[in-house]
Amino acid sequence: MRALITGGAGFIGSHLSEGLLEGGDEVLILDNLSTGSMDNISHLKGCRGFEYFIDSVNNEPLLAELIDRSDAVFHFAAAVGVKLIVYQPVYTIETNVHGTEVVLKHANKKKKLVVIASTSEVYGKSEDVPFREDSDLVMGPTPKHRWAYACSKAIDEFLALAYWKERKLPVIIVRFFNTVGPRQTGQYGMVIPNFVRQALAGEPITVFGDGQQSRAFTHVADVVGALLKLIKEPKAIGQVINIGTTEEISILNLAERVRDLSGSKSAIKFIPYDQAYESGFEDMPRRVPALAKVEGLIGYSPQHGLDDILIQVIDYFRKK
């Protein structure tokens, strides 16, 4: 198989590239490096069957050519990270919605399989935890830019499913739940890389809000393993599928765990949301997936616990 990965120089895309290449597949990457990095894929240069193109999905002639050369498309190109969403809402909405629009349009010409990367953010402020794929989505008000990302990704999902329903374009939508691991950057607000960097530097570990908000962190290797199986499962076509883990932890306890595992003596500093982001910022109190669908489709079961993840990330940052 030859796969095109938009946003392939990003964190998840680069790990997926490795997984595909290791399985004997060919990989084409399209990335404008707005949030991705050449460092993520530099070790893949020269690998047989690997090509990369530094450009945007908005370059439609190039995009159309790469899709035509591919058997499947993993559409990961997107504006990501809470800081980017809050401070660049126009870029977020236009990038996420228009990018998906052009990928689906060109993939539809020859009915190429498209895997759309979505997010647990689409569940919004719902308190119906664990989140099931058919759960209601509870968004905040439009003046809160925090929700622009969630809404843009929900539109991506609606559009992809419309292509499947009306035009029979094979699509799979995957909702990622806090995917983490080596090579992830904290530049756009990802919590574990930021905590690890602060702990190793002996700086205060900054916890936003009261730290009681909780998350369930998934190792990128578990995500990649699931993706590689889903694209071979016909029953996944036309489905929305959670990928994550149910091992839940509060952000305060996460900060303490990072400090302990790194041997740091950093203090923990609480920062109000208004100071961290913007006035009136709203967060999701919990974010835990229901995994029955992905378990039923491919026998998915996460293989990495939180301590495994943290130790790997700590080791990665120590070697940088």
Side-chain angles (χ1 to χ4, degrees):
M1 180 183 76
R2 180 184 291 130
L4 168 63
I5 308 175
T6 70
F11 165 57
I12 299 178
S14 65
H15 282 277
L16 176 60
S17 297
E18 290 176 347
L20 287 163
L21 291 168
E22 287 169 4
D25 296 314
E26 298 180 15
V27 174
L28 306 174
I29 279 177
L30 178 63
D31 200 305
N32 67 0
L33 302 183
S34 58
T35 55
S37 168
M38 286 302 298
D39 290 341
N40 288 338
I41 59 171
S42 59
H43 63 294
L44 300 177
K45 292 180 183 179
C47 287
R48 185 175 180 178
F50 177 75
E51 296 179 66
Y52 67 92
F53 301 83
I54 307 306
D55 212 319
S56 167
V57 293
N58 293 324
N59 182 344
E60 292 197 42
L62 176 60
L63 176 69
E65 176 191 338
L66 295 179
I67 289 176
D68 194 51
R69 291 177 57 193
S70 304
D71 301 302
V73 181
F74 293 88
H75 179 45
F76 289 1
V80 296
V82 176
K83 285 188 176 179
L84 188 65
I85 294 157
V86 169
Y87 296 119
Q88 297 185 42
V90 172
Y91 174 79
T92 296
I93 296 167
E94 290 184 346
T95 298
N96 293 350
V97 175
H98 182 65
T100 299
E101 197 174 28
V102 294
V103 166
L104 291 169
K105 178 178 74 173
H106 290 291
N108 185 59
K109 292 175 182 177
K110 294 189 178 177
K111 307 302 179 188
K112 300 294 179 73
L113 171 65
V114 181
V115 178
I116 299 285
S118 190
T119 170
S120 58
E121 286 272 334
V122 299
Y123 291 103
K125 297 191 289 184
S126 172
E127 297 179 359
D128 185 17
V129 179
F131 296 143
R132 302 182 318 279
E133 291 88 347
D134 59 355
S135 295
D136 288 341
L137 310 182
V138 185
M139 300 294 177
T142 54
K144 305 289 186 184
H145 294 308
R146 163 75 169 85
W147 304 110
Y149 175 64
C151 289
S152 68
K153 297 306 286 186
I155 292 170
D156 288 351
E157 292 191 18
F158 278 121
L159 185 59
L161 293 171
Y163 264 92
W164 165 240
K165 179 180 180 180
E166 182 180 334
R167 301 181 183 176
K168 302 307 175 190
L169 174 67
V171 300
I172 302 171
I173 296 164
V174 288
R175 290 178 180 165
F176 296 136
F177 278 73
N178 292 91
T179 305
V180 293
R183 292 207 295 268
Q184 187 177 43
T185 175
Q187 183 177 359
Y188 303 102
M190 282 61 172
V191 64
I192 286 181
N194 280 330
F195 281 3
V196 169
R197 182 191 58 77
Q198 291 168 340
L200 293 178
E203 300 172 357
I205 300 174
T206 51
V207 172
F208 298 160
D210 61 7
Q212 296 309 304
Q213 68 275 28
S214 67
R215 300 293 184 263
F217 295 94
T218 316
H219 195 290
V220 66
D222 288 324
V223 169
V224 168
L227 290 169
L228 296 178
K229 290 181 179 179
L230 284 170
I231 59 171
K232 297 176 182 178
E233 175 49 65
K235 293 179 181 177
I237 302 296
Q239 297 292 321
V240 178
I241 302 163
N242 290 338
I243 302 179
T245 182
T246 56
E247 185 181 356
E248 187 177 9
I249 187 171
S250 74
I251 298 302
L252 175 57
N253 287 343
L254 176 68
E256 294 168 343
R257 188 87 64 91
V258 168
R259 182 172 62 182
D260 291 346
L261 290 172
S262 64
S264 173
K265 298 188 183 301
S266 292
I268 293 176
K269 179 181 179 181
F270 294 92
I271 297 180
Y273 281 123
D274 288 3
Q275 183 180 333
Y277 295 117
E278 63 180 353
S279 178
F281 179 86
E282 297 179 328
D283 202 4
M284 302 171 70
R286 297 177 68 194
R287 195 184 302 181
V288 184
L291 298 175
K293 179 181 280 190
V294 71
E295 289 169 357
L297 284 168
I298 58 171
Y300 172 82
S301 177
Q303 301 301 301
H304 299 79
L306 180 59
D307 282 356
D308 296 332
I309 294 169
L310 295 178
I311 290 168
Q312 285 189 28
V313 175
I314 289 166
D315 287 345
Y316 170 76
F317 274 90
R318 278 190 170 135
K319 293 172 182 175
K320 287 194 70 176

